[in-house]
Amino acid sequence: MSSASGGCDGSLRYVRRVTSSDATAPHPPVPALELPPTADGFTAQFLRNLNFDGGVTLADASTNDRYLALARTVRDYLMLHALADQQRQAGAQAKAVCYLSAEYLLGNQLDNDLLAGDLAGVAADAMAACGIDLDELRRHEIEPGLGNGGLGRLAACFIDSLATLGVPSIGYGIRYEYGIFRQTFEDGQQVEQPDAWLTLGAPWEQPRPEAAQTVSFGGRTETVDDAGTVRSRWIPEWNVSAVPYDYLVPGFRNGRVNTLRLWRAKATDAFDLRIFNSGDYEQAVRAQTFAENISKVLYPEDSTPQGKELRLQQQYFFVAASIRDFLGRLPEDFDLARLPERVIFQLNDTHPVIAVPELMRVLVDEHGMAWDEAWAVTQQCFAYTCHTLLPEALEVWPVELLGRLLPRHLEIVYRINEEFLAAVRARFGDDEMRIRDMSIIAEFPVRAVRMAYLATVAGSRVNGVAELHSQLLRDKVLPAFAEFFPEKFTNVTNGVTPRRFLRLANPGLSTLITDAIGDGWVTDLERLHELEPLAEDAAFRAAFAAVKAGNKRRLNEVLQARDGMRVGDGHLVDVMVKRLHEYKRQLLKVLHVVSEYEGVVSGRIALADLQPRTVLFGAKAAPGYAMAKRIIHLINAVGSVVNTDPRLDGRLQVLFPPNYNVTLAESVIPAADLSEQISLAGKEASGTGNMKFALNGALTIGTDDGANVEIRELVGDANFFLFGMTEPEVAEIAQAGYHPAAFYQEDAGLRRAIDLIASGAFSGGDRSVFEPVVSNLLYEDRFMVLADYSAYMAAQQRVDAAYADQDGWTRAAILNVARCGFFSSDRSIRDYIDRIWHTPPTT
Ligand SMILES: *Cc1c(COP(=O)(O)O)cnc(C)c1O
């Protein structure tokens, strides 16, 4: 098993070679590590890290010590590439992509970096030589949950693809001390636990305190006469220090390593000391807490902005530090008029949009650039990705708050708006309706800055994240802007990285694919098309089915260990994992389960006719989102009744493992037969979970929404269970007035399901527990669950019928894999390059 011939006795036999005594002479990176790596070299470096970094011997090392040393060792090898990369790029004047995102949902780093650096083999050998169980160290890792869901995971997939494609780029974000909460259930209800991911050490990050930036807030502006030109100047009131923590982002086996730079807020020393010296220690501690709060917690919400001052502080904090950081990388004498040749700042949703007035301020106030020139530069340096269709999710900042926190930025926004509205008037005349419609400043209910409008006016491009979404952006969300700036609007359909979500998550399928078509698909996912003919090959189908069965066993091991749960033998594995939100319609899935349950207990469905199924949910609800939390409670309540009712004989199971995250996704998705993508048409911008499932050979039951549309077009109607209203149908019903109770009256099956919930059957007879859910469905049902219920039930019958033909199902699953290569985030990044960034071609 081990090729570590030297073995590993825990002693130290390795001395770092000294290369040069002339400190001023440039020297190549110290070749302390051999490339390509060997098990001996890896073992030696692991021991060095254990001894010198961890301060323990192998014999005394805890699991955490070993994990930290292993992580350090992997990072050391990647660092060799990173240093070489830096040397290659020094002096190169390539245009860089700065991806600005308030969230990065990274997932575990160890396996990702072992894969990208091609280190898995030597690491396994080295650990074996040291008598260490590598799997135990894998399980020890805590993923950095620095994002809520799809948006943050997209950013993580994109930085992976940027590195793999060799695009010069930096990801910028926030190093939250507490990421997304850890979810537990008590009596079926969500309880949020703090996510203390940093407590046992953070081996993947490297603090760079010497590269700290100062970020200012508050105060006032004043005008000064600068040799005849009247200029505005910001006199801020308080500062915080932004300290960068760098993560290595390795490309897949290409020697490229990009940086993810996450900022941590710290009190500035000067501020601290002044108060300390005055003897007011409490005040000093308060000041420190105040400053450091900025990067303390990730806002645990998705799709609805909370108008919180701290949130705006977070946004400005990270973009101000990032812009300064990037400009600091340019040569001293760089002509900022040429900035667009060197950078594009991609705004991941509206969270970083305050970067627009910040860049204007830096150019005009700090560098003395004329306003018009600065505006021309700024417009070329930004592009904006919109991620939503829900009007309530379009971020606005009250003018009162913005003016208090960032007075100069508010002035700049006003001037941008004035000039923009003048241009609108010049084109359309004094059409006051239109002016009010397009103003960056909303007047009601309070004066507020519409960040999506600001981004649209400032950005060189505005993109939606799936074809349907981009069309709805143009037609419904920003129609006046699409008319005014038709050339700005474009689409880039989202994607997911095939490295993490296929190669790592599904080793069985990866091997099967590689055996069939070679391993080029890992970086060229369209090659999965070569699998198509194999759908007709009985031996391949059998092997494919065996992989799926193996993945279900693997999932069961994970679920057993984690939650004491297991998927039923021979069950159709029916999965709905994603943030809990009413628009995603977990309730529709619950109604299906309740209907099946009711059917069996009432005798309408013979038990023998019930396709054995395990319905697996995973979902976190934002802590302040009461309805979402009630729906979680309902899912658990239905599960505990259905799972234990002897009349069902275990043929219908509902599992809801808590704390859905990237790590759990990697176990669940490869085991799924059926992927639930059942949002109300016109509400899901794209979805990326849908792509992960299809690529892993699950069939989708879905509405014509988001990227489902493109998935269905690619895999074909015969390999996709489409149901429900289309977006125009939804719009029509909404226009005419939607009456959910009518559906309840007309559909006996729906009535029985809702009545059963209302009766208290899932709440120990207490009718009040789920009354708010029931009355919401009957009298409001904003996302038209009841209108799509019968179509969904019919589609589920088609699923059952299709699953009865196992061989046919497997054929369809293979075709899903073969036809979904389009959904690689590598393709998304190429689209960004072609349509938006115009960075040089990649190798
Ligand atoms: C992919 C992913 C998501 C996004 O899922 P959707 O179904 O597109 O909403 C959310 N959370 C995690 C952990 C993911 O991996």
Side-chain angles (χ1 to χ4, degrees):
M1 172 150 74
S2 165
S3 65
S5 54
C8 169
D9 57 11
S11 66
L12 259 171
R13 294 159 294 142
Y14 300 87
V15 180
R16 195 184 180 84
R17 259 168 274 163
V18 176
T19 49
S20 169
S21 57
D22 182 359
T24 61
H27 65 76
V30 180
L33 301 180
E34 300 163 88
L35 282 178
T38 62
D40 275 349
F42 194 99
T43 305
Q45 186 68 6
F46 171 75
L47 291 173
R48 276 188 209 110
N49 281 321
L50 199 61
N51 294 159
F52 298 134
D53 198 63
V56 288
T57 62
L58 182 57
D60 292 337
S62 67
T63 303
N64 195 53
D65 291 327
R66 295 163 175 194
Y67 165 72
L68 292 178
L70 174 62
R72 286 280 178 213
T73 306
V74 173
R75 213 192 67 187
D76 291 342
Y77 279 97
L78 295 180
M79 191 63 82
L80 272 188
H81 292 296
L83 292 172
D85 220 16
Q86 274 167 28
Q87 288 208 326
R88 274 197 301 275
Q89 287 184 40
Q93 310 206 342
K95 181 171 173 179
V97 176
C98 289
Y99 198 78
L100 299 180
S101 178
E103 301 187 13
Y104 291 88
L105 192 54
L106 293 171
N108 281 347
Q109 296 299 285
L110 177 59
D111 272 328
N112 181 71
D113 289 7
L114 286 174
L115 176 71
D118 201 4
L119 294 163
V122 288
D125 288 346
M127 292 304 101
C130 294
I132 293 172
D133 177 3
L134 180 54
D135 281 333
E136 188 193 348
L137 302 191
R138 286 194 170 99
R139 286 191 299 269
H140 187 73
E141 184 168 0
I142 299 175
E143 70 169 76
L146 309 184
N148 275 292
L151 176 147
R153 184 54 235 175
L154 185 77
C157 284
F158 280 3
I159 58 175
D160 178 85
S161 286
L162 284 162
T164 294
L165 292 170
V167 180
S169 65
I170 308 170
Y172 285 112
I174 300 173
R175 179 186 178 273
Y176 302 101
E177 189 175 331
Y178 295 93
I180 184 71
F181 63 86
R182 191 167 54 80
Q183 179 191 52
T184 58
F185 295 139
E186 280 175 26
D187 300 327
Q189 304 196 58
Q190 171 174 297
V191 177
E192 301 93 25
Q193 312 285 352
D195 161 54
W197 66 289
L198 290 166
T199 38
L200 288 177
W204 303 103
E205 66 182 22
Q206 182 149 41
R208 303 264 190 198
E210 80 284 10
Q213 304 287 348
T214 300
V215 178
S216 305
F217 293 92
R220 60 193 169 82
T221 62
E222 62 176 28
T223 47
V224 288
D225 191 327
D226 174 11
T229 328
V230 178
R231 290 187 175 279
S232 191
R233 204 157 59 111
W234 181 20
I235 321 287
E237 190 185 351
W238 53 282
N239 299 321
V240 298
S241 180
V243 181
Y245 285 68
D246 287 352
Y247 286 72
L248 299 178
V249 184
F252 179 77
R253 299 184 184 175
N254 63 353
R256 294 297 301 259
V257 182
N258 284 343
T259 300
L260 171 63
R261 176 158 278 197
L262 303 180
W263 299 97
R264 175 187 186 185
K266 287 201 61 173
T268 53
D269 296 341
F271 194 56
D272 257 9
L273 195 63
R274 190 154 43 84
I275 303 170
F276 256 106
N277 288 344
S278 74
D280 188 347
Y281 301 121
E282 266 183 46
Q283 163 71 6
V285 170
R286 265 201 305 279
Q288 193 170 4
T289 307
F290 184 74
E292 298 185 358
N293 265 346
I294 291 178
S295 58
K296 188 69 81 182
V297 291
L298 167 74
Y299 271 77
E301 39 94 343
D302 196 42
S303 305
T304 48
Q306 280 173 323
K308 287 279 163 61
E309 182 163 352
L310 186 59
R311 173 88 159 178
L312 181 57
Q313 287 175 10
Q314 290 185 332
Q315 296 182 352
Y316 180 65
F317 165 77
F318 99 88
V319 301
S322 303
I323 287 177
R324 251 176 216 290
D325 182 83
F326 182 79
L327 295 180
R329 293 164 189 250
L330 297 170
E332 196 95 50
D333 58 351
F334 185 79
D335 176 6
L336 287 171
R338 296 173 54 194
L339 192 59
E341 295 169 24
R342 299 298 285 275
V343 68
I344 179 86
F345 292 103
Q346 185 68 37
L347 303 166
N348 194 25
D349 215 80
T350 51
H351 316 144
V353 171
I354 195 69
V356 168
E358 172 65 3
L359 182 61
M360 284 299 289
R361 188 190 67 78
V362 169
L363 295 176
V364 172
D365 297 1
E366 294 187 2
H367 291 272
M369 193 182 279
W371 175 275
D372 290 345
E373 187 178 15
W375 182 235
V377 167
T378 296
Q379 282 183 295
Q380 294 172 74
C381 284
F382 285 102
Y384 162 53
T385 305
C386 177
H387 281 275
T388 190
L389 286 161
L390 302 180
E392 71 268 27
L394 290 173
E395 219 169 14
V396 296
W397 289 113
V399 158
E400 179 278 322
L401 169 59
L402 194 61
R404 187 153 43 79
L405 205 61
L406 299 167
R408 177 61 182 140
H409 297 76
L410 180 60
E411 284 179 6
I412 291 171
V413 170
Y414 279 145
R415 179 152 175 202
I416 292 171
N417 193 39
E418 228 168 74
E419 296 185 357
F420 168 62
L421 293 181
V424 174
R425 281 200 175 87
R427 173 107 62 100
F428 293 104
D430 285 335
D431 177 349
E432 280 313 310
M433 273 294 268
R434 183 185 294 268
I435 298 290
R436 223 176 320 150
D437 239 34
M438 297 183 77
S439 176
I440 294 170
I441 310 293
E443 299 296 335
F444 299 103
V446 292
R447 291 202 92 200
V449 179
R450 296 158 155 162
M451 301 307 273
Y453 290 14
L454 177 58
T456 303
V457 171
S460 60
R461 291 285 186 280
V462 178
N463 77 284
V465 288
E467 291 289 352
L468 174 64
H469 175 232
S470 294
Q471 180 210 318
L472 292 172
L473 261 189
R474 280 186 290 249
D475 297 349
K476 303 230 158 146
V477 184
L478 300 167
F481 292 89
E483 186 186 359
F484 196 77
F485 301 117
E487 72 291 348
K488 284 194 184 189
F489 283 75
T490 187
N491 172 252
V492 177
T493 298
N494 283 166
V496 300
T497 172
R499 271 72 66 187
R500 181 177 293 272
F501 287 108
L502 194 48
R503 180 67 178 71
L504 276 179
N506 199 339
L509 182 56
S510 293
T511 303
L512 185 65
I513 295 170
T514 297
D515 287 348
I517 65 171
D519 65 0
W521 60 271
V522 178
T523 51
D524 182 5
L525 203 61
E526 292 278 15
R527 288 180 57 180
L528 292 179
H529 274 300
E530 295 166 27
L531 293 173
E532 270 197 45
L534 293 167
E536 298 308 322
D537 178 328
F540 188 81
R541 284 199 303 276
F544 189 94
V547 166
K548 187 62 85 181
N551 289 340
K552 291 180 185 179
R553 283 193 297 275
R554 210 163 51 100
L555 172 62
N556 271 342
E557 284 166 22
V558 170
L559 289 180
Q560 278 284 4
R562 187 181 188 278
D563 312 299
M565 297 174 181
R566 68 185 306 279
V567 168
D569 293 329
H571 280 213
L572 185 163
V573 177
D574 175 354
V575 182
M576 184 162 192
V577 287
K578 50 185 73 247
R579 283 306 293 253
L580 202 308
H581 201 292
E582 287 164 280
Y583 87 78
K584 291 176 180 280
R585 301 202 295 189
Q586 279 92 353
L587 272 179
L588 186 53
K589 180 75 251 172
V590 173
L591 287 177
H592 171 236
V593 171
V594 171
S595 292
E596 296 281 281
Y597 172 71
E598 195 278 337
V600 172
V601 298
S602 68
R604 247 180 303 277
I605 300 174
L607 191 57
D609 291 343
L610 192 70
Q611 164 62 49
R613 272 199 202 221
T614 296
V615 177
L616 192 152
F617 287 92
K620 291 180 185 176
Y625 187 175
M627 184 55 73
K629 294 177 110 173
R630 277 192 205 101
I631 294 169
I632 284 181
H633 189 192
L634 176 61
I635 297 169
N636 279 322
V638 168
S640 55
V641 169
V642 169
N643 296 353
T644 53
D645 190 322
R647 290 170 291 184
L648 272 290
D649 195 25
R651 287 174 82 96
L652 181 59
Q653 292 278 310
V654 178
L655 303 183
F656 193 166
N659 202 39
Y660 179 58
N661 59 9
V662 177
T663 306
L664 184 59
E666 290 170 20
S667 294
V668 166
I669 291 170
D673 294 308
L674 187 65
S675 159
E676 299 274 351
Q677 308 299 337
I678 60 179
S679 52
L680 177 63
K683 299 298 176 193
E684 185 75 87
S686 162
T688 49
N690 48 3
M691 302 169 185
K692 299 168 196 166
F693 280 101
L695 277 168
N696 280 278
L699 274 56
T700 306
I701 183 166
T703 47
D704 231 350
D705 200 15
N708 293 356
V709 177
E710 288 155 81
I711 293 175
R712 184 172 60 86
E713 278 168 2
L714 285 166
V715 306
D717 284 337
N719 306 302
F720 187 107
F721 301 97
L722 175 69
F723 76 96
M725 296 177 288
T726 61
E727 189 279 328
E729 287 166 353
V730 170
E732 196 178 315
I733 297 201
Q735 189 77 37
Y738 174 57
H739 302 292
F743 291 93
Y744 170 83
Q745 298 299 345
E746 281 159 25
D747 188 322
L750 175 59
R751 204 161 58 235
R752 284 192 294 266
I754 290 183
D755 287 351
L756 192 61
I757 296 171
S759 75
F762 303 108
S763 39
D766 184 345
R767 296 161 155 266
S768 70
V769 177
F770 298 119
E771 191 280 328
V773 178
V774 169
S775 51
N776 185 280
L777 278 178
L778 290 178
Y779 305 115
E780 188 179 351
D781 192 18
R782 214 186 129 200
F783 298 101
M784 303 186 180
V785 171
L786 302 201
D788 271 343
Y789 168 84
S790 69
Y792 182 57
M793 293 296 291
Q796 289 289 6
Q797 295 216 321
R798 286 186 274 135
V799 168
D800 284 341
Y803 199 72
D805 170 11
Q806 278 290 297
D807 210 34
W809 184 280
T810 300
R811 183 182 290 112
I814 294 168
L815 291 175
N816 266 262
V817 176
R819 295 174 178 174
C820 282
F822 175 76
F823 297 107
S824 168
S825 48
D826 299 345
R827 188 271 314 148
S828 304
I829 292 299
R830 286 200 192 90
D831 286 350
Y832 275 97
I833 292 171
D834 292 345
R835 298 172 194 172
I836 298 177
W837 300 335
H838 309 300
T839 49
T842 55
T843 46

